[in-house]
Amino acid sequence: ELLETVEESADRLNRLIGNLLDMSRVQTDSVRPQLRPVALEEVIPATLLGVPGDAVVVDVPDGLPRVRVDAGLLDRAVANVVTNAVRYNPDPRVPVLVAASAHGDSVQLRVVDRGPGVSDEAKQRMFEAFQRLGDAPQGTGVGLGLAVARGFVEAMHGTLAPEDTPGGGLTMVFTLRAV
């Protein structure tokens, strides 16, 4: 049990340091993405490897247009958003949905949760560095994940925006340029 606790703490510290370094890159405008055509159906399963299998349902159809992104930056951005969605999911029997669809000259990737949702005034504030909304429990992060995710997506000329999930919850929408 002690070894497991040490490993979990080391993983949490590693994520924190990674997010701090990523945030400093975003804030100093030194993120230089290597944009290339990428198939979401190839990237998303690898991104979700660390997430418990029953916590997320993936609906990324084959045959979507490729998107022009840096696969590593997209991986980090999606992982940060999915981790948040899983963390705040009130009912583990209702998994988070990760779904993609084509929309004209773009592809949208949606991360849909059934959590408590976010007020309209807090929707933009949640992308600020070191912002933790509400009474987030101690030990669940320092509020960098969404700021890093948005910074990476914008560096790839995409957008990351929150929407209310019909019926309750929050949907994070990645809009990426199709090629």
Side-chain angles (χ1 to χ4, degrees):
E1 280 183 38
L2 184 58
L3 182 57
E4 186 175 316
T5 301
V6 168
E7 286 181 9
E8 288 173 3
S9 295
D11 289 344
R12 192 168 37 252
L13 182 59
N14 187 40
R15 283 190 303 274
L16 173 62
I17 291 169
N19 276 334
L20 285 168
L21 292 171
D22 290 340
M23 195 66 231
S24 69
R25 290 174 51 211
V26 167
Q27 288 181 331
T28 60
D29 199 29
S30 61
V31 176
R32 301 288 179 250
Q34 302 297 313
L35 301 178
R36 63 178 183 81
V38 172
L40 286 179
E41 65 267 18
E42 295 170 7
V43 174
I44 299 305
T47 299
L48 301 177
L49 284 177
V51 179
D54 58 346
V56 177
V57 170
V58 177
D59 180 14
V60 178
D62 294 338
L64 280 175
R66 290 179 177 266
V67 291
R68 188 166 174 75
V69 296
D70 180 307
L73 296 182
L74 181 62
D75 174 80
R76 292 291 302 276
V78 172
N80 282 352
V81 170
V82 169
T83 298
N84 267 9
V86 169
R87 180 180 299 138
Y88 293 104
N89 188 13
D91 185 354
R93 295 172 301 180
V94 180
V96 169
L97 173 64
V98 176
S101 56
H103 295 270
D105 62 349
S106 66
V107 172
Q108 287 188 344
L109 180 68
R110 294 176 171 271
V111 178
V112 182
D113 74 47
R114 295 291 176 184
V118 176
S119 68
D120 287 341
E121 55 273 359
K123 280 189 175 100
Q124 294 310 311
R125 197 173 68 238
M126 69 186 190
F127 291 101
E128 295 173 9
F130 303 106
Q131 183 60 243
R132 290 172 21 133
L133 298 179
D135 296 323
Q138 292 297 323
T140 60
V142 295
L144 290 174
L146 293 179
V148 167
R150 181 176 263 183
F152 282 177
V153 171
E154 288 176 351
M156 295 182 290
H157 310 290
T159 61
L160 175 57
E163 294 179 354
D164 292 327
T165 300
L170 184 69
T171 298
M172 298 295 280
V173 182
F174 294 79
T175 303
L176 307 166
R177 292 189 346 200
V179 292

